[in-house]
Amino acid sequence: MRYLIVGLGFIATHIALRLSQYKDTSSVTVTYRSLNPVKEEYVKLLKGRVDVVKADPMDEQFRKLVRDSDTVVNLVGEISGSEETLRRANVEVPTALARMSAKEGKQFIHFSGATSTGATGTNVRVEQEHCKGVSPTTTFEITKCQGERSVMNETEKEGTPLAILRPTLVYGRYAAHVQFVSMYRLAKVGLLPKLGLLMATVNADWLGDAVRSLSQKRPRRLYVYASECGTVPVSRFFQLMAESLKRRGIQLPVPLGIAKAFLPKDIRALLRYSGTSYDCQPFKEISGHSEFDPEEVRLNALFLRDLEKKGKLIPT
């Protein structure tokens, strides 16, 4: 199986490394448009295991990479920025990739987000008819839903395989998103906020196993929440990182209202999903996993410490 993963980041790194472990994988290629200090570290991690190439998915020459693959995996997306930025990353790029993949007769796996429908509650299930009756509210949520609709339309025109994965909070040893960097910095000095937040989570490695499974099953029209079962207290992330860094830590109760005041606008919007859980059975059947893995968080703290020593602790 030949995989093309579009969009270098920590999730792509986990997926690529996971896929490279399987004997039935003949090649994995990860593309990027530009590098920053953290992505340079990802390239080092991938070197010798997978191919990493600079390429623009909006360029017609990208078609050759698609043609030389069996499964195209889109990880391009943005959570914050201007409406134009969000629309390009969450709608235009996925649409172009889905169209290219469909024209070449390739399977397309699109990573969206659990918030794309705006649904909250307990054991949230996917809608019976794709994106019908959903209620996204923020620009991020709206563009994610539009992106899903668009890739669905493009692949239906050619009748090619499509799977849409809606991950919850993705964690993993190579995570360097702003929330994990913030957790690390507080855990390093022994400050462990008790926020009262409960988030549905998914291990980035499990996403790699899901991609492999889907590449074998080749569903035509699948959309599923990618989530472990239940929720995890955000405070546990701080505690696990502190343990890994050998910090005793002081637990500090922080009222949610105060926490909101110090969070970026785009992150604050996600707080309404605190306590929301998703139907985990479909993802368990695809990936073979359903449980939170605390060891990945401990290892994440060590990875971030290593980035800091190199002067590369830059939130991505």
Side-chain angles (χ1 to χ4, degrees):
M1 187 66 64
R2 300 169 298 171
Y3 297 94
L4 174 62
I5 301 174
V6 187
L8 175 62
F10 99 82
I11 299 175
T13 298
H14 275 266
I15 292 175
L17 290 174
R18 196 75 170 180
L19 292 173
S20 71
Q21 296 173 4
Y22 290 106
K23 293 181 179 179
D24 59 357
T25 297
S26 57
S27 67
V28 180
T29 299
V30 182
T31 71
Y32 68 91
R33 288 183 62 210
S34 62
L35 294 178
N36 58 34
V38 177
K39 289 186 178 182
E40 289 172 355
E41 292 300 305
Y42 293 150
V43 172
K44 291 177 184 178
L45 288 167
L46 295 171
K47 187 175 181 180
R49 303 282 295 278
V50 310
D51 296 322
V52 183
V53 300
K54 183 177 182 179
D56 187 343
M58 300 299 279
D59 192 321
E60 183 61 26
Q61 294 180 352
F62 200 87
R63 186 178 294 272
K64 184 180 185 305
L65 291 171
V66 173
R67 189 176 297 126
D68 292 341
S69 68
D70 298 307
T71 298
V72 179
V73 183
N74 175 53
L75 283 160
V76 176
E78 292 287 351
I79 191 173
S80 61
S82 66
E83 182 174 352
E84 180 181 356
T85 297
L86 291 170
R87 185 164 300 281
R88 186 182 193 283
N90 298 339
V91 183
E92 294 175 8
V93 173
T95 300
L97 285 170
R99 181 182 302 122
M100 206 178 297
S101 300
K103 291 292 184 182
E104 294 294 334
K106 308 300 182 179
Q107 179 185 31
F108 190 61
I109 298 177
H110 174 57
F111 276 79
S112 181
T115 63
S116 63
T117 64
T120 58
T122 302
N123 202 37
V124 173
R125 299 173 182 271
V126 296
E127 62 282 9
Q128 289 188 349
E129 185 174 341
H130 180 252
C131 273
K132 184 174 182 179
V134 300
S135 54
T137 55
T138 67
T139 304
F140 165 69
E141 294 169 355
I142 292 169
T143 54
K144 277 294 188 183
C145 192
Q146 289 175 340
E148 286 192 23
R149 286 193 179 104
S150 188
V151 301
M152 186 76 76
N153 290 337
E154 292 296 333
T155 53
E156 283 185 336
K157 290 176 185 176
E158 306 295 333
T160 48
L162 169 70
I164 297 173
L165 292 176
R166 297 169 173 171
T168 51
L169 176 63
V170 186
Y171 65 95
R173 66 186 66 188
Y174 303 125
H177 286 175
V178 61
Q179 62 267 40
F180 299 108
V181 172
S182 298
M183 291 174 188
Y184 163 78
R185 285 173 170 159
L186 288 174
K188 184 183 70 168
V189 297
L191 296 178
L192 312 180
K194 294 184 66 175
L195 297 170
L197 295 174
L198 300 170
M199 302 300 293
T201 58
V202 63
N203 185 339
D205 281 346
W206 305 164
L207 297 177
D209 290 338
V211 167
R212 177 176 181 266
S213 175
L214 291 169
S215 71
Q216 295 173 327
K217 297 176 180 178
R218 300 178 69 81
R220 291 281 176 175
R221 185 187 169 95
L222 176 75
Y223 48 101
V224 61
Y225 289 110
S227 181
E228 296 160 344
C229 297
T231 57
V232 178
V234 172
S235 298
R236 191 174 182 196
F237 281 82
F238 290 98
Q239 293 165 358
L240 290 168
M241 286 190 175
E243 288 175 11
S244 183
L245 298 170
K246 303 188 185 307
R247 297 288 190 272
R248 286 184 176 274
I250 302 173
Q251 293 191 354
L252 301 172
V254 180
L256 192 56
I258 294 177
K260 286 181 178 180
F262 290 94
L263 290 172
K265 177 183 176 182
D266 299 295
I267 302 299
R268 285 202 305 269
L270 300 177
L271 294 183
R272 74 185 185 94
Y273 293 96
S274 175
T276 292
S277 60
Y278 299 85
D279 179 14
C280 62
Q281 190 60 33
F283 182 70
K284 180 180 180 181
E285 292 173 359
I286 295 169
S287 69
H289 305 284
S290 62
E291 301 297 325
F292 177 70
D293 184 358
E295 185 61 19
E296 283 295 302
V297 182
R298 295 189 184 98
L299 291 172
N300 187 207
L302 300 182
F303 173 71
L304 294 173
R305 184 178 66 182
D306 186 54
L307 286 183
E308 187 173 32
K309 289 179 179 178
K310 295 176 180 178
K312 295 185 175 184
L313 190 61
I314 303 170
T316 59

